Amino acid sequence: MAGVSTGTVDRVLHNRGEVSESSKKKVQQVLKEIHYRPNMFAIGLAGKKKYLICCLIPKYTPDDYWSFVAQGIEQAAEELNAFHVRTEYIYYNHSSIESYCEAGAILLTKKPDAVLIAPNFKKETLQITGQLSERKIPFIFIDVNIEDAGAMMYIGQDSFQSGYIAGKILMNKYARDKEIVLFISEYNQNSFEIQMQRRLEGFMKYVSESCDHITIHEVKLGNKNDQEDKQILTAFFKEHPCVKMGISFNSRIYEVGQYLEENQIQFLRLIGYDLLPQNIELLNKGIITLLIGQRPGLQGYCAIKVLADKIVFKRDISPMKYMPIDLIIKENILYYVESYNL
Amino acid sequence: MAGVSTGTVDRVLHNRGEVSESSKKKVQQVLKEIHYRPNMFAIGLAGKKKYLICCLIPKYTPDDYWSFVAQGIEQAAEELNAFHVRTEYIYYNHSSIESYCEAGAILLTKKPDAVLIAPNFKKETLQITGQLSERKIPFIFIDVNIEDAGAMMYIGQDSFQSGYIAGKILMNKYARDKEIVLFISEYNQNSFEIQMQRRLEGFMKYVSESCDHITIHEVKLGNKNDQEDKQILTAFFKEHPCVKMGISFNSRIYEVGQYLEENQIQFLRLIGYDLLPQNIELLNKGIITLLIGQRPGLQGYCAIKVLADKIVFKRDISPMKYMPIDLIIKENILYYVESYNL
DNA sequence: CTGTTAGCGCGTTCAA
DNA sequence: TTGAACGCGCTAACAG
């Protein structure tokens, strides 16, 4: 239609130069006129190009938070393998900087076409992403954002706001109880701690806005030794028997819940994050009042789809996708567990 | 590999006879050995087959509930048009049986390959789906389910349970207030009324379980005449000035909210369904306390994707997909509006 | 800078 | 009952 050959058309379609301005113009003109849409079947059949997406995420055990993320990734991977997209995981250990750096090094040797990163240590992350940028390999952050790293997109929750909401709900019914307890974890340098920090800040914002003269206790629970944690809890409740409302800013609220159950301590409100099986069980029993969900499966799913959109279909994408802050109670939990395989 | 030609292989692949038993055996043997999977790209390319999915849904105006469903449908349609899938809408009028039947008749003339139905009148629906079944055209119900109609899948919320939750939240803080009001609509024969009915039943279940000696008022609001509705509300509040908690089982809670705002009546709790712009505005103003979301966009999106999975990629699918019962308050609304274009 | 050409894996003739 | 051959729309290598 433009009076040129298929080769020329192909060149303008893919911007691979070697085309005179005049031909280019003519072709583009025709493309517009006929509303040209590439035929995906033909592309898939003809293209021998294989795509590799690498996922840098924490090593996980069955049913923990990252296992849900992986499920989402798997589903997207399945939908995309028809398009010659392959995914590969590189796992690192939460709490080890060395492991993280090592994973980063392995990542580069894989020569991926795109990368999903659950960033952990800020400085080290910037080092990794710097090298990705040099190689022009697009990458997405999920769960925690690190700004100014040049990520194509961040997918995750607004941590501050989710803490704010947690505060509102915790304080909703029993504003006159003057004692609450925050179950927080040992301070660590990694990004997931930073996320909890932001949730805490959001929480404190609400409390400072809306609750006068409140007493806030803090209980630090390590994540190493269960027995030790129990002793800490026992000591706390001996000293503060009137505390009936508590919150944790991570998914390990079940440790507290289990302790309360064992020791028959009745709380009025107990709030935590994420739909781990242990948490769900305690929610169903009425020991946990509310869980805040952040759709780990959807995060993984979206991340892979977006990366594929970028590298396979050349679609452009927005830089931010906030996940809904799901409020989950006993009565609606069922439908959230199912929808994890969305 | 089997020592026969492609033509013969094709015949055994598609069971179109004209093949000797011996050839057939040999081919099937090889097929198994190499774990033959048809290449969808090649099938799509070779087959000139175009697919048509028809959507039988209520006629909508901008920003109403069904417009969000349509958005989801549109997004799925866009992703699928590369695969020769075309969607077409057939609209009917909510409240008119004739319009519904007419739409059903038009539907059949289109000779669709698959159908999405938002079912309205039960008997008439069964008539339509009967004819679809005869023609072996697969169909999915969304929003409201009609059992035993032979639908491939139902996508929507568990209405009873969502009503139950609404009850729990409405009664949570102020159980001692003995008067609540239900804003319900004129009784109609259609399925959407049945859905509201189920929500109401769930609500009443909670109330009967957990709230003694409560007074429940009912206010019937027609959906025709705004002025008339206002008069009804005025009359009601004159007679019952102490009522401070109310709920509507459909998306038109904004009518009540707007009335309360205009007349400066402060409610303690006002609950309704769906993220219409008017509802969102009132939620942000603090006039509506909570909205229950049912992800209309996702419903439409999933329905189309599932149908395409079936007819294009021959994947098999599960018969039920319940949508989460989203609890939406002022503080998390922002992230739900965005996620509509999921 | 441009045109030509050989497949990619399958469906579908048509001739044998 | 079978086999050979063409074309679907696009990519990529190669020859001008």
Side-chain angles (χ1 to χ4, degrees), chain B residues 123-185:
Chain B
K123 201 182 117 203
E124 287 71 16
T125 301
L126 288 173
Q127 204 171 317
I128 296 171
T129 59
Q131 297 186 281
L132 291 174
S133 298
E134 266 179 33
R135 292 163 171 74
K136 298 197 198 301
I137 300 172
F139 58 94
I140 281 185
F141 288 139
I142 70 170
D143 206 68
V144 184
N145 194 18
I146 292 185
E147 281 150 37
D148 304 321
M152 248 183 33
M153 189 176 193
Y154 162 64
I155 298 176
Q157 218 169 46
D158 181 338
S159 305
F160 183 90
Q161 187 65 13
S162 87
Y164 187 89
I165 291 176
K168 172 164 176 171
I169 293 173
L170 186 67
M171 308 315 280
N172 183 13
K173 192 169 183 177
Y174 300 97
R176 289 183 186 160
D177 283 313
K178 294 286 197 300
E179 291 187 63
I180 64 175
V181 53
L182 316 181
F183 302 101
I184 60 185
S185 41

Side-chain angles (χ1 to χ4, degrees), chain A residues 39-41 44-45 82-83 158 161 165 168 172-173 295 298 322 324-326 331-332 335-336 342, chain B residues 40-41 44-45 82-84 158 161 164-165 168 172-173 295 298 322 324-326 331-332 335-336 342:
Chain A
N39 180 327
M40 289 307 172
F41 292 119
L45 192 54
F83 297 98
D158 181 337
Q161 187 66 13
I165 292 175
K168 172 162 175 172
N172 184 11
K173 192 169 182 178
R295 312 223 187 149
L298 186 60
Y322 278 125
I325 299 172
D326 288 326
E331 286 77 9
N332 66 349
Y335 311 105
Y336 282 89
L342 164 98
Chain B
M40 290 307 170
F41 293 114
L45 229 207
F83 296 98
H84 304 161
D158 181 338
Q161 187 65 13
Y164 187 89
I165 291 176
K168 172 164 176 171
N172 183 13
K173 192 169 183 177
R295 312 223 188 150
L298 186 61
Y322 277 125
I325 299 173
D326 288 327
E331 286 79 10
N332 66 349
Y335 311 105
Y336 283 89
L342 165 97

Side-chain angles (χ1 to χ4, degrees), chain A residues 193-208:
Chain A
E193 297 296 335
I194 293 172
Q195 185 185 40
M196 288 183 237
Q197 203 58 36
R198 290 199 195 132
R199 290 171 180 169
L200 177 59
E201 286 163 15
F203 178 86
M204 294 308 295
K205 169 105 178 298
Y206 180 83
V207 169
S208 68

Side-chain angles (χ1 to χ4, degrees), chain B residues 45-61:
Chain B
L45 229 207
K48 323 163 189 317
K49 172 105 183 106
K50 312 278 183 193
Y51 300 94
L52 173 63
I53 299 179
C54 283
C55 308
L56 194 66
I57 62 173
K59 194 171 189 56
Y60 58 83
T61 52

Side-chain angles (χ1 to χ4, degrees), chain B residues 55-60 70 89-93 99-100 102-103 106:
Chain B
C55 308
L56 194 66
I57 62 173
K59 194 171 189 56
Y60 58 83
Y89 297 90
I90 301 159
Y91 300 109
Y92 63 84
N93 179 332
S99 146
Y100 189 65
E102 195 183 330
I106 295 174

Side-chain angles (χ1 to χ4, degrees), chain A residues 44-291:
Chain A
L45 192 54
K48 339 177 181 304
K49 172 110 182 96
K50 312 280 182 192
Y51 299 93
L52 173 63
I53 300 180
C54 282
C55 307
L56 194 66
I57 62 173
K59 196 172 188 55
Y60 57 82
T61 51
D63 288 335
D64 82 356
Y65 180 78
W66 290 98
S67 77
F68 296 118
V69 176
Q71 273 179 33
I73 292 175
E74 281 305 304
Q75 194 180 331
E78 195 167 325
E79 288 180 23
L80 289 166
N81 84 13
F83 297 98
H84 305 154
V85 176
R86 212 162 47 79
T87 58
E88 208 166 292
Y89 297 91
I90 301 160
Y91 301 108
Y92 63 84
N93 178 331
H94 264 85
S95 44
S96 153
I97 294 192
E98 298 79 50
S99 147
Y100 189 67
C101 291
E102 196 183 328
I106 295 174
L107 174 66
L108 292 169
T109 69
K110 302 272 185 185
K111 301 195 187 306
D113 299 287
V115 178
L116 175 165
I117 303 178
N120 193 344
F121 306 98
K122 182 163 182 177
K123 201 181 116 203
E124 288 71 17
T125 301
L126 288 173
Q127 204 172 316
I128 296 171
T129 58
Q131 298 185 280
L132 290 174
S133 298
E134 266 179 33
R135 293 164 170 74
K136 298 199 198 300
I137 300 171
F139 58 93
I140 280 186
F141 288 140
I142 69 170
D143 206 66
V144 185
N145 195 17
I146 292 186
E147 279 149 40
D148 304 321
M152 247 182 37
M153 189 177 194
Y154 162 64
I155 298 177
Q157 219 170 46
D158 181 337
S159 304
F160 183 90
Q161 187 66 13
S162 87
Y164 187 89
I165 292 175
K168 172 162 175 172
I169 293 172
L170 185 67
M171 310 314 281
N172 184 11
K173 192 169 182 178
Y174 300 96
R176 288 182 186 161
D177 283 312
K178 293 287 197 301
E179 291 186 63
I180 64 176
V181 52
L182 316 182
F183 302 101
I184 59 184
S185 41
E186 298 282 9
Y187 182 66
N188 251 315
Q189 287 286 21
N190 69 46
S191 299
F192 304 116
E193 297 296 335
I194 293 172
Q195 185 185 40
M196 288 183 237
Q197 203 58 36
R198 290 199 195 132
R199 290 171 180 169
L200 177 59
E201 286 163 15
F203 178 86
M204 294 308 295
K205 169 105 178 298
Y206 180 83
V207 169
S208 68
E209 279 175 12
S210 311
C211 311
D212 282 342
H213 305 296
I214 201 157
T215 304
I216 298 177
H217 303 285
E218 284 191 10
V219 171
K220 278 194 184 161
L221 299 175
N223 34 25
K224 304 285 165 59
N225 187 331
D226 273 16
Q227 284 311 312
E228 200 179 309
D229 284 351
K230 287 192 178 171
Q231 288 168 16
I232 294 173
L233 288 170
T234 301
F236 174 79
F237 284 115
K238 187 166 286 177
E239 199 175 345
H240 305 283
C242 294
V243 174
K244 295 276 178 260
M245 290 163 47
I247 183 168
S248 155
F249 296 102
N250 61 41
S251 56
R252 292 195 300 280
I253 187 69
Y254 61 87
E255 290 176 6
V256 178
Q258 283 163 357
Y259 178 89
L260 295 182
E261 187 181 21
E262 284 166 16
N263 295 274
Q264 307 207 5
I265 301 176
Q266 285 282 341
F267 257 43
L268 294 174
R269 281 269 204 283
L270 186 64
I271 294 179
Y273 281 76
D274 300 326
L275 304 189
L276 310 194
Q278 302 100 311
N279 288 349
I280 291 173
E281 191 188 333
L282 291 161
L283 187 72
N284 280 325
K285 284 182 180 167
I287 292 167
I288 291 177
T289 320
L290 174 97
L291 289 169

Side-chain angles (χ1 to χ4, degrees), chain A residues 283-284 289-290 326-337, chain B residues 157-173 180 182 196 198-211 245-249 269-273 289-294 322-329:
Chain A
L283 187 72
N284 280 325
T289 320
L290 174 97
D326 288 326
L327 304 179
I328 299 155
I329 57 180
K330 198 185 352 183
E331 286 77 9
N332 66 349
I333 177 81
L334 184 60
Y335 311 105
Y336 282 89
V337 176
Chain B
Q157 218 169 46
D158 181 338
S159 305
F160 183 90
Q161 187 65 13
S162 87
Y164 187 89
I165 291 176
K168 172 164 176 171
I169 293 173
L170 186 67
M171 308 315 280
N172 183 13
K173 192 169 183 177
I180 64 175
L182 316 181
M196 287 183 238
R198 290 198 194 132
R199 290 172 180 168
L200 177 59
E201 286 163 15
F203 179 86
M204 293 309 293
K205 169 106 178 299
Y206 180 83
V207 169
S208 67
E209 278 174 13
S210 311
C211 311
M245 290 162 48
I247 184 168
S248 154
F249 296 102
R269 281 270 203 284
L270 186 64
I271 295 179
Y273 280 76
T289 319
L290 174 96
L291 289 169
I292 292 181
Q294 45 182 337
Y322 277 125
M323 291 288 112
I325 299 173
D326 288 327
L327 305 179
I328 299 154
I329 57 181

